[in-house]
Amino acid sequence: MASTHTPGQQVQDDILKTVQTSQEAVMDWVKAWADAVQSMMPKLPAANLPFADKLPKPEEAVANAYDFAEQLLASQRKFAEDMLKATAPLLPGQAN
């Protein structure tokens, strides 16, 4: 079966696969490190920090950051597409 990927898409796919493989390797290392550190740490009592209950959980902070980044990227994409439409008549061979 022939590939339907353009050379540019193949490069992007290769880069994404490399990033994913690297992320998996780092995640495996971090898990092993965290397990090792946890086994050596004494059990610490819970800290009573003022307003700690008002802070977002780490999972919420990550989700919020990526939700914001997604919205920002969508906004930037729309802006770039609108700019292309607005300047299209200036490109050679484009009808006015």
Side-chain angles (χ1 to χ4, degrees):
M1 174 188 239
S3 174
T4 58
H5 281 18
T6 65
Q9 288 172 320
Q10 186 60 50
V11 169
Q12 290 176 355
D13 289 348
D14 291 346
I15 290 170
L16 288 174
K17 181 65 177 162
T18 300
V19 168
Q20 290 168 343
T21 301
S22 299
Q23 289 172 336
E24 290 169 6
V26 169
M27 186 56 60
D28 290 344
W29 182 87
V30 168
K31 286 178 183 177
W33 174 82
D35 289 343
V37 169
Q38 183 182 19
S39 70
M40 294 184 281
M41 288 183 59
K43 200 68 168 162
L44 299 175
N48 289 329
L49 300 174
F51 306 109
D53 59 329
K54 305 290 185 216
L55 296 172
K57 303 268 186 267
E59 297 84 3
E60 293 169 340
V62 168
N64 290 339
Y66 275 89
D67 288 346
F68 173 71
E70 186 176 296
Q71 293 171 15
L72 183 61
L73 188 57
S75 175
Q76 288 297 102
R77 180 180 186 156
K78 183 178 180 329
F79 174 73
E81 291 169 346
D82 289 347
M83 289 294 288
L84 288 173
K85 287 177 191 173
T87 59
L90 302 175
L91 297 174
Q94 300 294 320
N96 289 331

